[in-house]
């Protein structure tokens, strides 16, 4: 057997080994290795052509090939120790055939040509295609590099990555003696993808992604509260030279201790102020999903057929932008080989357009907006968001808060649910406070925000001049697939929004 201290990550995976104890982790166990860099296709052009020809052998409107080769590493922290370290490896190809509204999709592990041909034929059979179209292959496309890295994650040692967790653990415990437990996780992945289709696209992209987060439990005299914070993105390991694990862990500890002694949430319709940053998750869920083209085409979104109509306050301009360097939702090209864009979805309250992938663009007579995304080669493409945010306004955040005599301040959010067909949503508020006479006062526990997306946007009366994107922790789930996304929001005042909770309404609430 090979000496594990001399293995690279792929050799390490090939042994089936998983490091499960911190004591087994030493620098050099996971050595640095490049995947080959951008611009080097995973599949030979001649092989791609034969696979697409097999996919179109029964005919069809369109076919594409998505090849992916990924390596990921993760570490977890519990009870003051790095408890586990794992390396994952995945490589394979997905083949899709479109015939009208029918989608034939099949995938296989690895890059063996015969297996790819069989996969392509399976996709063709599923789509029930008829003879007609002939594949054509374009030249290899140049892909702009928007996510630049000075130090690839795997060029950092295993010890350096695990050390991030230990530094955060120490900082959280030193923040407050009421901190009872600290948990943390680090994850990074590097993928090389090649996309080719019968419209002539043949492109390759290299994608990095990393994330570090901490969860802290604080113990009070009669209650326990949890705080969560982290960050990451699509840049190199140098990200952690500025994003301090100590600061991230202290922020999680601050959230947990700040909520000790919280009162029950006052229920009923209230003036609500959303904090800047992660509060953009409400915009993502309550509005963004309803602007994805598959829901529009099927008529299941309440935004169907409303382009050009007023759907929000004049103060609301909603943007989805996949070209912000280093952000978690940013990509040079989407998973159909189209350059991502800055898309204005709602402008000064007027609906301007949707997020569209190739399939829905063909069926709706629109152009793709570079919004086709998938979890991996094992999954089919859907229209998805990238980084979705509300454009800044002119109000100072302190003026927004001081304008509220009695209301609720939502600083951080937990999970939520939304019904795309009618825009109804419910979100858990992880950190919230009463606003009394224009000031933040007592912490509140157990609060939820309940509303209807478009109605809430119409109730926006003040928008802050403090735009902020989340620190890089968002993952969007849709139809069983998860993809990394970004969200953002300035401070926002909503004149009327229902707050759910356990207590009775407060006197004077709107």
């Amino acid at each position: 057997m090979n000496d594990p201290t001399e293995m690279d990550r792929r050799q390490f995976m090939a042994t089936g080994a998983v490091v499960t104890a911190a004591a087994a982790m030493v620098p050099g166990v996971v050595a640095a290795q490049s995947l080959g860099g951008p611009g080097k296709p995973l599949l030979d052009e001649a092989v791609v052509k034969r696979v697409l020809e097999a996919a179109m052998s029964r005919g069809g409107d369109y076919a594409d090939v998505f090849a992916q080769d990924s390596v990921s590493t993760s570490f977890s922290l519990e009870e003051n120790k790095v408890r586990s370290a794992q390396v994952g490896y995945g490589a394979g190809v997905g083949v899709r055939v479109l015939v009208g509204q029918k989608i034939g999709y099949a995938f296989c592990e690895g890059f063996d040509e015969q297996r790819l041909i069989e996969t392509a034929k399976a996709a063709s059979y599923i789509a029930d295609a008829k003879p007609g179209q002939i594949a054509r292959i374009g030249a290899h496309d140049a892909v702009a590099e928007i996510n630049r890295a000075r130090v690839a994650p795997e060029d950092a040692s295993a010890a350096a990555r695990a050390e991030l967790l230990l530094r955060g653990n120490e900082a959280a415990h030193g923040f407050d003696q009421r901190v009872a437990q600290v948990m943390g996780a680090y994850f990074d992945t590097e993928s090389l993808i090649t996309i080719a289709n019968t419209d002539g696209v043949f492109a390759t992209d290299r994608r990095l992604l990393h994330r570090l987060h901490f969860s802290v439990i604080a113990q009070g005299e009669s209650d326990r509260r949890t705080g969560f914070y982290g960050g990451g993105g699509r840049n190199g390991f140098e990200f952690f030279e500025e994003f301090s694990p100590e600061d991230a862990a202290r922020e999680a500890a601050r959230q947990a201790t700040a909520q000790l002694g919280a009162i029950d949430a006052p229920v009923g319709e209230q003036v609500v102020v959303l904090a800047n940053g992660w509060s953009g998750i409400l915009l993502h869920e309550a509005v963004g999903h309803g602007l994805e083209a598959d829901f529009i085409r099927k008529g299941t979104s309440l935004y169907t057929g409303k382009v050009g109509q007023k759907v929000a306050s004049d103060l609301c301009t909603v943007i989805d932008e996949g070209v912000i360097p280093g952000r978690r939702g940013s990509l040079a090209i989407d998973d159909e080989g189209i350059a991502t864009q800055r898309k204005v979805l709602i402008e000064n309250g007027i609906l301007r357009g949707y997020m569209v992938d190739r399939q829905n663009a063909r069926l709706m007579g629109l152009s793709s907006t570079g919004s086709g995304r998938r979890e991996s080669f094992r999954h089919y493409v859907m229209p998805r968001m990238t980084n979705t945010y509300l454009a800044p306004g002119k109000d100072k955040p302190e003026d927004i808060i001081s304008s509220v005599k009695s209301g609720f301040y939502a600083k951080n959010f937990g999970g939520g649910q939304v019904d795309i067909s009618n825009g109804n949503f419910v979100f858990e508020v992880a950190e919230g406070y009463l606003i009394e006479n224009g000031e933040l006062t007592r912490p509140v526990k157990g609060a939820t925000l309940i509303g209807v997306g478009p109605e809430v946007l119409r109730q926006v009366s003040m928008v802050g001049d403090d735009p902020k994107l989340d620190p890089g922790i968002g993952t969007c789930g849709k139809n069983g697939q998860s993809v990394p996304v970004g969200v953002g929001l300035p401070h926002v005042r909503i004149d009327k929004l229902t707050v759910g909770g356990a207590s009775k309404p407060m006197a004077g609430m709107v």
Side-chain angles (χ1 to χ4, degrees):
M1 181 177 176
N2 294 331
D3 181 348
T5 62
E6 296 179 353
M7 293 181 189
D8 60 38
R9 290 207 292 190
R10 290 164 188 280
Q11 291 172 322
F12 184 73
M13 268 305 293
T15 67
V18 175
V19 180
T20 57
M25 274 192 355
V26 294
V29 169
V30 183
Q33 180 184 347
S34 171
L35 285 174
K40 181 180 178 182
L42 288 170
L43 299 174
D44 181 78
E45 182 177 335
V47 173
V48 169
K49 186 174 187 301
R50 287 192 286 272
V51 173
L52 285 174
E53 287 175 341
M56 298 292 283
S57 60
R58 294 166 56 90
D61 300 328
Y62 166 92
D64 62 19
V65 171
F66 181 89
Q68 182 180 27
D69 187 358
S70 299
V71 178
S72 62
T73 304
S74 63
F75 300 87
S76 67
L77 174 107
E78 288 183 56
E79 299 177 341
N80 304 316
K81 296 178 180 178
V82 176
R83 281 293 182 186
S84 68
Q86 297 189 17
V87 178
Y89 168 63
V93 177
V95 181
R96 179 176 62 162
V97 178
L98 302 181
V99 184
Q101 297 189 33
K102 296 179 182 177
I103 301 174
Y105 191 75
F107 69 91
C108 66
E109 309 280 347
F111 302 120
D112 176 74
E113 181 175 350
Q114 186 55 43
R115 189 176 296 177
L116 297 183
I117 297 293
E118 293 171 358
T119 300
K121 290 180 177 177
S124 176
Y125 180 78
I126 294 169
D128 193 24
K130 304 300 181 184
Q133 300 292 324
I134 299 175
R136 64 182 177 88
I137 308 298
H140 191 217
D141 300 324
V143 174
E145 186 179 8
I146 64 170
N147 296 313
R148 296 181 178 178
R150 175 163 52 83
V151 182
E154 66 177 4
D155 288 336
S157 69
R161 286 177 278 184
E163 181 66 18
L164 298 174
L165 293 170
L166 296 173
R167 287 166 53 190
N169 180 65
E170 182 177 356
H173 280 289
F175 179 81
D176 192 299
Q177 61 181 4
R178 294 172 295 177
V179 170
Q181 186 176 355
V182 179
M183 293 169 285
Y186 170 89
F187 169 82
D188 66 52
T189 184
E190 181 174 6
S191 292
L192 193 66
I193 64 164
T194 292
I195 303 168
N197 65 35
T198 51
D199 282 350
V201 167
F202 186 30
T204 295
D205 190 23
R206 176 179 180 242
R207 297 173 176 178
L208 302 176
L209 183 68
H210 53 70
R211 169 176 153 153
L212 173 72
H213 69 258
F214 295 94
S215 178
V216 173
I217 297 175
Q219 178 66 59
E221 294 181 359
S222 59
D223 58 351
R224 292 163 65 93
R225 297 287 172 241
T226 300
F228 177 89
Y229 193 77
R234 293 190 176 277
N235 30 35
F237 195 73
E238 70 274 11
F239 173 82
F240 297 103
E241 295 173 4
E242 296 186 0
F243 185 87
S244 158
E246 288 88 350
D247 289 346
R250 289 189 193 105
E251 170 58 19
R254 184 204 63 75
Q255 293 176 20
T257 55
Q259 295 295 296
L260 290 173
I263 63 173
D264 288 334
V267 301
E269 288 188 343
Q270 304 176 36
V271 176
V272 173
V273 175
L274 304 179
N276 61 347
W278 179 239
S279 298
I281 186 65
L282 192 148
L283 183 72
H284 170 104
E285 296 288 357
V287 178
H289 279 300
L291 299 176
E292 293 169 339
D294 48 352
F295 297 124
I296 299 296
R297 178 175 62 81
K298 297 173 184 175
T300 55
S301 167
L302 76 171
Y303 290 107
T304 300
K306 294 187 176 179
V307 171
Q309 298 183 24
K310 192 170 183 60
V311 296
S313 158
D314 293 343
L315 301 175
C316 293
T317 294
V318 179
I319 298 165
D320 186 81
E321 184 170 0
V323 295
I324 308 173
R327 301 304 305 182
R328 187 168 167 83
S330 297
L331 297 169
I333 55 174
D334 72 355
D335 293 331
E336 296 181 309
I338 296 177
T340 56
Q341 305 173 12
R342 180 180 185 275
K343 301 174 288 292
V344 178
L345 303 169
I346 297 173
E347 183 177 26
N348 299 326
I350 305 298
L351 180 59
R352 296 302 185 192
Y354 308 120
M355 290 167 281
V356 187
D357 63 335
R358 283 182 180 271
Q359 165 73 337
N360 288 289
R362 286 170 175 265
L363 296 174
M364 298 169 70
L366 302 173
S367 297
S368 170
T369 56
S371 302
R373 301 188 65 185
R374 67 179 90 200
E375 182 174 318
S376 77
F377 68 88
R378 299 180 179 88
H379 303 84
Y380 62 89
V381 167
M382 294 182 287
R384 307 292 295 269
M385 286 169 269
T386 55
N387 305 296
T388 310
Y389 60 90
L390 187 73
K394 298 180 179 179
D395 296 300
K396 298 295 181 186
E398 56 271 26
D399 292 341
I400 295 176
I401 295 171
S402 65
S403 73
V404 181
K405 181 178 180 181
S406 177
F408 181 75
Y409 183 77
K411 184 172 179 59
N412 280 303
F413 285 85
Q417 297 181 4
V418 62
D419 185 336
I420 301 300
S421 64
N422 53 31
N424 290 331
F425 65 81
V426 178
F427 279 94
E428 174 191 352
V429 179
E431 183 182 5
Y433 299 87
L434 294 182
I435 304 176
E436 297 175 293
N437 297 317
E439 295 184 354
L440 303 186
T441 58
R442 291 169 287 177
V444 169
K445 64 181 180 182
T448 57
L449 297 185
I450 304 166
V452 180
E455 293 181 7
V456 170
L457 287 187
R458 290 190 180 95
Q459 293 293 328
V460 172
S461 60
M462 300 178 77
V463 177
D465 61 358
D466 57 340
K468 183 179 179 182
L469 296 173
D470 78 287
I473 56 176
T475 298
C476 173
K478 177 181 175 182
N479 294 345
Q481 294 191 40
S482 297
V483 297
V485 297
V487 300
L489 202 75
H491 270 84
V492 168
R493 171 177 163 143
I494 301 170
D495 284 345
K496 188 165 61 177
L497 181 58
T498 299
V499 177
S503 70
K504 297 179 180 179
M506 290 183 64
M509 292 290 182
V510 175

